[in-house]
Amino acid sequence: EKIDLTGVIVFPNLAVEHSAVDFGAVLNETESRSYVQITNTSEVPVKCHWYFEEPENPPVAKKGQEIIPVNQIFDIVPIRSSLDVGESEMVEFVFFGHKGRSAKANVVCVVEDGPEYQVRLRGEASEIKYSFDKKVIDFGSLQYEFNAERDFTIQNTGKVEFNFNILTDGVCPPRTCMVQPLTGKIGPGGKQRIAVKVTPGMP
């Protein structure tokens, strides 16, 4: 009698969505979070864990500044995972922006009895910087029944995106002046034109 025996040997494996995470520039002393999906692409359950490849100098430090350990700059949640066949999970990477510093690190995902995957991390911390193309808007003399419009520009001269909000509480009477837009967001190097419309309405 003959019995044919067949078997398949497979290794646990993952698909990692990205090989690099760039947090860009964040405001000093704030956090930024980014997510990378990992998926079990093998035919067996997968167990994996993450660790940091410890660099010599993770954040760029100026003369006299202390060196900050990599685990105080970046974090990974969860650090360990178990995935069934075909299951996916979102891994959260966290960057904490230490004042005026840039940092980079390599993290490695180790699949038990399988391969390793490297993800490069990079981030920078900076302050908000901006400028106006003018600080005074002179409408001159206007006929009270007509309106006039002038504008000014806000420019983001820094590396951090910021929101702005224009307050018109000091305008009296309120209907005399209209500003558009009153709120917005300006990215690094970006500009926003602000229109100011005045209608006297009375002498």
Side-chain angles (χ1 to χ4, degrees), residues 15-85:
V16 180
E17 185 180 19
H18 300 298
S19 61
V21 176
D22 190 345
F23 292 93
V26 304
L27 186 62
N28 287 333
E29 308 300 332
T30 64
E31 290 183 357
S32 179
R33 299 170 185 270
S34 187
Y35 298 86
V36 172
Q37 181 173 277
I38 59 174
T39 303
N40 181 355
T41 56
S42 64
E43 299 177 17
V44 292
V46 165
K47 290 184 178 181
C48 64
H49 67 274
W50 296 84
Y51 74 89
F52 287 100
E53 283 188 345
E54 188 74 34
E56 291 183 8
N57 297 314
V60 174
K62 297 179 181 178
K63 187 176 181 180
Q65 290 181 327
E66 64 176 342
I67 301 299
I68 302 173
V70 68
N71 61 0
Q72 292 181 22
I73 303 169
F74 297 104
D75 195 11
I76 308 167
V77 181
I79 201 76
R80 296 181 179 275
S81 300
S82 296
L83 300 176
D84 290 331
V85 177

Side-chain angles (χ1 to χ4, degrees), residues 77-126:
V77 181
I79 201 76
R80 296 181 179 275
S81 300
S82 296
L83 300 176
D84 290 331
V85 177
E87 187 179 2
S88 296
E89 182 177 62
M90 298 301 293
V91 178
E92 181 182 57
F93 293 91
V94 184
F95 168 65
F96 183 78
H98 292 271
K99 184 178 180 179
R101 300 203 189 193
S102 61
K104 58 184 178 180
N106 291 328
V107 292
V108 179
C109 178
V110 180
V111 178
E112 292 186 15
D113 300 320
E116 297 183 358
Y117 297 93
Q118 187 181 87
V119 177
R120 299 183 303 277
L121 306 179
R122 182 201 164 276
E124 183 177 358
S126 185

